[in-house]
């Protein structure tokens, strides 16, 4: 009898400890000052602080570091309790990972090249594919190890930005290059907006060949929180990348009279990071009794997406 009680209470204690640990691991990282973080990073590496591109590169590095070093580390590929039972933080991680993949792709193909026939930067060429490793891979290759290799190549690229001679890396802060990043952002935000709005079901805008709307598209009740936190994670990363762009692209943004539009996007993205006080993501409908967190997020994401479109027009015509 005594032994049975000991086993029972030990089991209850383990479950309680796992629950509390899961709550701690599910806490989202705080926002950071991109300028201060970049200055601290390049000072630690004894690099000059006035080189164009170091702020954005340092920000991308810090976002990737955060994925690996936050409480609990990288959880998406864990196969043991309690992290195997968590889904909000892995969804948040995936949103950030999508942002990293988009940004490093633009850095590789656009920002580091003067024209389409220019050679690729050797470190970005290595870094970008590494962030495309499946986030659920936990062995051969292990996702964290591959992402860390990508971070190391980004650090090598950042160090070469301040060099002279044939080994120097380049960062071309031009309007057309920023537009390429914004085009990818526009597609991501548009997709998130649709998926979030589908929490209450909506008629599909993708018409079949007969031109008739047949069904409503609705996000599964079991996936609502995953979509919410994925969009929240992407918005967290994008918020910092655009703040870095405000620094590195400052002359272009001022010349195009586009600084206000960029700050409008940042302001909407900051709204997506407000504290979620509810213990779960609710899915109320219309003006019902319960809130619909997905629709609130969709509102901020849609407004940010509209501002991205306006910013692209200014960069084209300003």
């Amino acid at each position: 009898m005594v032994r049975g009680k000991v086993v029972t209470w030990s089991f209850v204690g383990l479950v309680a400890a796992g629950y509390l640990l899961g709550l701690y691991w599910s806490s989202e990282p705080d926002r950071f000052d991109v300028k201060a973080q970049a200055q601290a990073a390049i000072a630690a590496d004894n690099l000059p602080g006035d080189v164009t591109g170091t702020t954005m590169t340092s920000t991308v590095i810090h976002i990737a570091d955060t994925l690996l070093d936050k409480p609990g580390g990288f959880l998406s590929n864990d196969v043991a309790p309690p992290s195997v039972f968590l889904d909000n933080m892995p969804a948040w991680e995936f949103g950030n990972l999508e942002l990293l993949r988009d940004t490093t792709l633009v850095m590789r193909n656009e920002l580091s090249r003067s024209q389409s026939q220019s050679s690729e930067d050797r470190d970005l060429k290595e870094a970008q594919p590494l962030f495309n490793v499946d986030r659920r891979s936990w062995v051969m290759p292990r996702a964290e190890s591959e992402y860390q290799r990508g971070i190391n190549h980004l650090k090598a690229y950042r160090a070469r930005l301040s060099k002279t001679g044939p080994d120097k890396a380049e960062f071309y802060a031009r309007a057309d290059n920023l537009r390429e990043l914004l085009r990818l952002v526009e597609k991501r935000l548009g997709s998130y907006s649709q998926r979030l709005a589908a929490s209450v079901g909506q008629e599909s805008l993708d018409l079949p060949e007969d031109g008739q709307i047949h069904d409503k598209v609705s996000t599964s009740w079991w996936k609502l929180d995953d979509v919410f936190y994925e969009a929240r994670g992407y918005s967290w990363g994008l918020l910092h990348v655009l703040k870095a762009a405000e620094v590195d692209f400052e002359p272009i943004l001022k010349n195009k009279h586009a600084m206000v539009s960029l700050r409008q996007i940042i302001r909407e993205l900051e709204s997506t990071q407000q504290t979620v006080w509810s213990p779960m993501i609710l899915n109320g409908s219309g003006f019902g009794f319960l809130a619909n967190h997905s629709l609130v997020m969709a509102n901020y994401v849609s407004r940010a997406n509209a501002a991205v479109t306006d910013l692209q027009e200014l960069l084209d015509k300003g």
Side-chain angles (χ1 to χ4, degrees), residues 171-191:
F171 186 97
Y172 296 97
R174 301 194 310 255
D176 59 325
N177 286 342
L178 182 56
R179 285 200 307 271
E180 290 301 320
L181 175 61
L182 293 175
R183 286 193 180 99
L184 289 180
V185 168
E186 185 178 35
K187 291 180 174 64
R188 293 288 185 194
L189 293 180
S191 175

Side-chain angles (χ1 to χ4, degrees), residues 9-118:
W9 283 108
S10 297
F11 176 75
V12 170
L14 286 173
V15 171
Y19 176 75
L20 294 175
L21 188 61
L23 287 179
Y24 175 59
W25 285 358
S26 295
S27 59
E28 298 173 31
D30 294 330
R31 284 173 275 176
F32 60 93
D33 185 321
V34 297
K35 287 184 180 180
Q37 189 280 325
Q39 290 171 356
I42 60 182
D45 291 340
N46 295 316
L47 300 173
D50 57 349
V51 178
T52 301
T54 55
T55 302
M56 179 169 286
T57 306
S58 297
T59 298
V60 173
I61 291 170
H62 190 70
I63 291 171
D65 279 333
T66 299
L67 282 179
L68 303 185
D69 299 335
K70 60 180 175 53
F74 190 70
L75 304 180
S76 294
N77 62 349
D78 284 4
V79 294
S83 50
V84 71
F85 299 118
L86 304 178
D87 61 349
N88 291 345
M89 181 50 65
W92 188 92
E93 292 173 344
F94 183 56
N96 266 279
L97 193 56
E98 290 282 73
L99 184 277
L100 284 173
R101 290 168 175 172
D102 289 347
T103 307
T104 53
L105 179 63
V106 173
M107 290 175 68
R108 174 185 178 181
N109 289 341
E110 311 295 339
L111 293 173
S112 62
R113 304 171 67 186
S114 60
Q115 54 187 348
S116 61
Q117 295 184 357
S118 301

